[in-house]
Amino acid sequence: MDLVFRDADVVDGSGGDSYRADVGIEGGRIVSIVKEAAAAGCQRPTARRVLDAEGLVLSPGFIDMHAHSDLALLRDPDHSAKAAQGVTLEVLGQDGLSYAPVDDRTLDEVRRAITGWNGDASDMDLDWRTVGEYLDRLDRGIAVNAAYLVPQGTVRMYVMGWDDRPATETELARMRRLVAEGLEQGAVGLSSGLTYTPGMYAPDSELTELCRVVARYGGYYCPHHRSYGAGALRAYEEMVALTREAGCALHLAHATMNFGVNEGRAPELLALLDAALDAGADISLDTYPYTPGSTTLLALLPSWASEGGPEAALARLQDDATAERIRHHLEELGSDGCHGVPVDWATIEVSGVTDPALTDHVGRRVDGWPTARRLLVDDRLGTTILQHVGHEENVRTIMRHRVHTGGSDGILQGLKPHPRAYGTFPEYLGRYVRELGVLSLEECVAHLTSRPAARLRLPDRGLVREGYVADLVLFDPATVASGATYGNPRTLPVGIPHVLVDGRFVMEDGRRTDVLAGRSVRRTEVR
């Protein structure tokens, strides 16, 4: 064999008890698991390399169900932000906005719309236009594997521009065709960002029709739904009802209950989901183990302020009368972009800017609308923020649920990004398993491995099993911890010495190798 991990404590991803074993790898797959080899006195497997794993846990690689590495995987081959956490697969195309399918106009517009998430890409050659071409680009070699969701907001932008109106029958037919083509080319489902323009302009009837297409291909719908604040439970109910009507699997993105109106209300959300699950619905969700959220400053504005696209939004911000209307919606009414809750500027911290001249704002709270308006205009809508509106009790309650999975929602741009981008998975293992005991180690690993693999319908990933792909993590359960903090968010974790993708070390002895073993992971055909 190529490699044997000797005397590892195997936490296999099933949720069952751990066990001691020698695990052998050959040709990128797990080919041998010999339990309690030393105690049994049996012939121990041999290999060209034998690694002593005593005292360390061997688990499947972690699957980040909500990642914003769409360009970072291509721009930064190192990608230690995720590889060092033990992430071996990321799901891209989130929140309804990404870079395929596009034409030239749409690509230019989406680049500007999500500069705060991924940079403006002026340093890159975005030479694809279809989903399949984007996945082919990933297949040239990336740090970790990646799956992709067709972004509904981008599809709408492609077909309809930034108009806030229902689609015509012709436009809806074209959107259905684009979604189908993306799924045929390898996408695993459809995402939406229903507090982001232009995706949020879609009525439920339009979303239902697109979800019917997803259901035919055995994919799933992943919405950032219409509110995580005022009306959050109604927004969750809307997504459950919509996917029930469409016959489509549902995965709720960063399923939080935020803002003061939702403190202590996580059990109400879980009761809603349990009722749907017990009635036969196919539902899962992901969360990150932190209380603040992260998005762009632009996203807080009322949706009407962005109709027509980025240039139209900038023009409105520069007009005093229109800017006053925006302020009124933000501070007094509660805009749809701010989840129906009047903005509390004391909770808004600038995490990144695109204009270096504005760097002094990073790490500071926004002191009111005049500052926010000036930042939006001067940074040409590229400013990212942390929004300190979450509740620890809700975070802990939701992560215990039977369909919970882990997703970082990690934005890697900005001088001071959310620490979840660098710390989500070791934060689960170190803080919520070892320190707080919210989950057992076996439960937590199942949440981060086999559950997401099942949602993605991956037949040979997510478990330590003979015949499975050797996407594996070796970590020290006594020391694993996130190094990322709000003050130093780009610090790498500790206690994760080895990470393998396709049987090859991408992290070895705590250091990033030069291996690019990741590829696109495409939709499994329905049989």
Side-chain angles (χ1 to χ4, degrees):
M1 289 181 285
D2 300 324
L3 172 67
V4 167
F5 290 111
R6 183 152 288 171
D7 289 323
D9 290 323
V10 177
V11 177
D12 68 4
S14 69
D17 292 341
S18 64
Y19 56 85
R20 180 69 63 89
D22 292 356
V23 178
I25 298 165
E26 184 173 4
R29 291 189 177 265
I30 301 166
V31 296
S32 174
I33 300 174
V34 181
K35 295 183 180 180
E36 301 291 352
C42 60
Q43 179 68 38
R44 307 192 74 168
T46 59
R48 283 181 285 278
R49 178 178 179 185
V50 176
L51 195 154
D52 182 4
E54 186 169 2
L56 300 178
V57 166
L58 181 69
S59 83
F62 306 135
I63 298 176
D64 188 341
M65 286 295 288
H66 192 102
H68 289 285
S69 303
D70 306 50
L71 298 185
L73 272 167
L74 299 173
R75 179 187 288 117
D76 176 20
D78 180 78
H79 203 52
S80 289
K82 294 299 178 66
Q85 293 186 60
V87 171
T88 58
L89 171 60
E90 299 183 272
V91 185
L92 313 177
Q94 300 287 350
D95 294 333
L97 290 167
S98 190
Y99 304 92
V102 292
D103 56 12
D104 291 348
R105 172 192 61 80
T106 308
L107 179 60
D108 181 64
E109 291 177 352
V110 78
R111 282 171 58 177
R112 297 191 59 191
I114 53 176
T115 291
W117 293 356
N118 297 301
D120 67 5
S122 60
D123 57 332
M124 302 180 67
D125 178 16
L126 308 191
D127 59 355
W128 63 83
R129 293 298 179 268
T130 69
V131 170
E133 289 168 351
Y134 174 69
L135 297 179
D136 289 344
R137 176 76 174 269
L138 298 178
D139 283 341
R140 297 180 195 174
I142 48 180
V144 303
N145 298 310
Y148 188 75
L149 297 164
V150 178
Q152 170 259 330
T154 299
V155 168
R156 200 173 208 269
M157 192 188 310
Y158 191 164
V159 173
M160 299 178 58
W162 295 76
D163 293 349
D164 183 1
R165 60 173 176 82
T168 66
E169 282 302 316
T170 299
E171 290 166 338
L172 184 55
R174 191 176 179 205
M175 285 190 277
R176 284 195 298 256
R177 186 166 62 253
L178 285 170
V179 171
E181 289 171 355
L183 292 160
E184 289 167 359
Q185 292 163 13
V188 296
L190 175 75
S191 77
S192 283
L194 300 180
T195 64
Y196 297 123
T197 56
M200 69 191 299
Y201 298 145
D204 284 1
S205 57
E206 180 180 311
L207 298 172
T208 300
E209 286 302 305
L210 299 184
C211 283
R212 292 188 199 279
V213 176
V214 176
R216 287 204 308 271
Y217 287 89
Y220 67 92
Y221 180 45
C222 180
H224 164 127
H225 50 274
R226 297 191 193 275
S227 176
Y228 292 84
L233 285 175
R234 289 195 301 276
Y236 282 110
E237 289 170 352
E238 176 191 11
M239 295 298 101
V240 171
L242 187 156
T243 49
R244 181 191 302 118
E245 173 69 18
C248 184
L250 172 65
H251 180 84
L252 296 164
H254 37 61
T256 57
M257 293 286 285
N258 288 339
F259 301 90
V261 294
N262 289 317
E263 185 171 3
R265 299 188 69 188
E268 297 177 55
L269 166 61
L270 301 185
L272 165 68
L273 299 183
D274 282 333
L277 288 162
D278 292 344
D282 183 359
I283 299 174
S284 55
L285 59 88
D286 66 67
T287 69
Y288 46 83
Y290 300 89
T291 52
S294 180
T295 187
T296 62
L297 185 57
L298 172 67
L300 302 184
L301 271 55
S303 57
W304 59 261
S306 292
E307 187 178 5
E311 285 302 321
L314 281 168
R316 292 185 181 101
L317 285 163
Q318 292 175 86
D319 177 77
D320 288 343
T322 309
E324 171 56 23
R325 283 184 61 210
I326 294 171
R327 184 209 64 78
H328 178 68
H329 276 255
L330 268 173
E331 295 186 345
E332 299 177 36
L333 300 181
S335 75
D336 47 5
C338 197
H339 306 275
V341 178
V343 68
D344 177 359
W345 293 115
T347 68
I348 308 300
E349 177 185 357
V350 177
S351 61
V353 293
T354 57
D355 184 347
L358 302 171
T359 298
D360 286 350
H361 289 275
V362 176
R364 295 181 180 177
R365 303 294 172 113
V366 175
D367 59 10
W369 171 242
T371 298
R373 179 189 177 190
R374 190 163 56 252
L375 268 173
L376 286 162
V377 172
D378 292 350
D379 207 27
R380 297 194 62 79
L381 312 179
T383 304
T384 52
I385 60 169
L386 301 185
Q387 195 168 14
H388 296 267
V389 293
H391 304 284
E392 179 67 18
E393 179 186 353
N394 286 348
V395 170
R396 297 188 193 189
T397 299
I398 293 169
M399 74 169 62
R400 295 187 184 101
H401 195 263
R402 54 178 162 150
V403 298
H404 170 266
T405 68
S408 71
D409 197 11
I411 295 173
L412 298 168
Q413 285 294 118
L415 291 176
K416 195 172 178 288
H418 196 304
R420 67 193 185 192
Y422 284 73
T424 286
F425 295 87
E427 184 78 354
Y428 271 119
L429 297 168
R431 176 166 169 76
Y432 287 91
V433 171
R434 184 180 63 246
E435 296 177 9
L436 299 176
V438 174
L439 295 167
S440 72
L441 181 59
E442 290 83 358
E443 288 174 319
C444 186
V445 169
H447 289 215
L448 307 181
T449 59
S450 64
R451 286 189 189 175
R455 166 52 70 218
L456 296 167
R457 297 177 56 247
L458 304 178
D460 55 1
R461 299 175 195 263
L463 293 168
V464 179
R465 290 280 192 276
E466 290 183 0
Y468 274 55
V469 174
D471 290 349
L472 298 168
V473 182
L474 203 65
F475 64 90
D476 183 347
T479 63
V480 62
S482 171
T485 64
Y486 293 102
N488 294 289
R490 295 186 185 276
T491 306
L492 297 180
V494 297
I496 306 178
H498 303 295
V499 181
L500 285 80
V501 173
D502 196 31
R504 301 169 65 193
F505 285 93
V506 296
M507 297 292 299
E508 188 170 10
D509 295 322
R511 298 175 183 273
R512 177 73 173 94
T513 70
D514 60 1
V515 168
L516 296 176
R519 298 292 186 271
S520 69
V521 174
R522 307 197 186 203
R523 181 183 59 86
T524 302
E525 292 292 335
V526 178
R527 295 179 180 177

